[in-house]
Amino acid sequence: HGAPLRKKELEKFSGAQRHRAAKDIADFLQALHSVTLSLARKCGVTHAWTVAEHRQWCVAHLPIIQKKLGAVKSVQLQKILDTCVRSKSPERNCVVHQDFTSDHVLFDKKKNKITGIIDFGEVQISDPATDIARMWKYGEAFVDSVLHYYKTTDKNIKSKSREKYIYFC
């Protein structure tokens, strides 16, 4: 039970509620990202494109894309393509939700907690920053709260997630 956890709902939370939501999300992501790759492959989970592969595809199709976007958006796209994919930290492979948006995080107002994560139709093997990237929609403070509870040795996960948010979202 629950409804999508939209940004406007999260903004109504007390500080304690926000931290509880951040911890619940971090705990879920920690568990998902810990699924072994051998099990994932046995279940048919495939590798996602890397940011570099996405960029390469966009550059190869840039003339077609620019015709559809128009002049202003084409300039914005070119800036994104020029500035993204500069992360010095290699991508780590793990199982990711791949579509971890607010639509798929369910919150129950009566229970005052996250009650579920739905829609695993796009699960792939990719970098965990991919799932963290979607949290930027809630704002940097919430990303920081999630990362406070999410245990990783990747010191660049925040910057990689921001880059992925800008690039993909």
Side-chain angles (χ1 to χ4, degrees), residues 27-46:
D27 289 348
F28 165 77
L29 291 176
Q30 198 85 58
L32 178 64
H33 296 166
S34 297
V35 171
T36 65
L37 294 182
S38 61
L39 176 59
R41 288 185 188 107
K42 281 182 191 176
C43 295
V45 178
T46 60

Side-chain angles (χ1 to χ4, degrees), residues 3-74:
L5 181 59
R6 307 267 189 237
K7 183 178 180 181
K8 67 181 181 180
E9 291 297 323
L10 186 70
E11 289 171 346
K12 295 176 188 174
F13 286 12
S14 68
Q17 287 174 309
R18 289 173 68 86
H19 281 284
R20 170 70 190 261
K23 183 178 183 330
D24 289 347
I25 287 170
D27 289 348
F28 165 77
L29 291 176
Q30 198 85 58
L32 178 64
H33 296 166
S34 297
V35 171
T36 65
L37 294 182
S38 61
L39 176 59
R41 288 185 188 107
K42 281 182 191 176
C43 295
V45 178
T46 60
H47 278 268
W49 280 10
T50 64
V51 173
E53 289 169 324
H54 276 280
R55 183 182 185 284
Q56 183 179 5
W57 184 91
C58 284
V59 169
H61 294 86
L62 199 55
I64 297 166
I65 295 168
Q66 286 176 324
K67 284 180 186 176
K68 300 256 184 209
L69 291 179
V72 173
K73 288 188 178 181
S74 290

Side-chain angles (χ1 to χ4, degrees), residues 73-114:
K73 288 188 178 181
S74 290
V75 170
Q76 292 171 340
L77 175 61
Q78 191 62 55
K79 285 180 184 178
I80 290 170
L81 292 173
D82 291 344
T83 60
C84 285
V85 198
R86 296 179 192 240
S87 176
K88 292 180 177 49
S89 180
E91 289 195 348
R92 184 185 128 220
N93 285 327
C94 70
V95 175
V96 297
H97 187 279
Q98 191 72 10
D99 193 18
F100 196 62
T101 64
S102 60
D103 291 340
H104 302 137
V105 178
L106 300 183
F107 181 79
D108 188 322
K109 289 181 184 181
K110 290 179 183 174
K111 293 182 180 179
N112 199 28
K113 68 176 193 168
I114 291 175

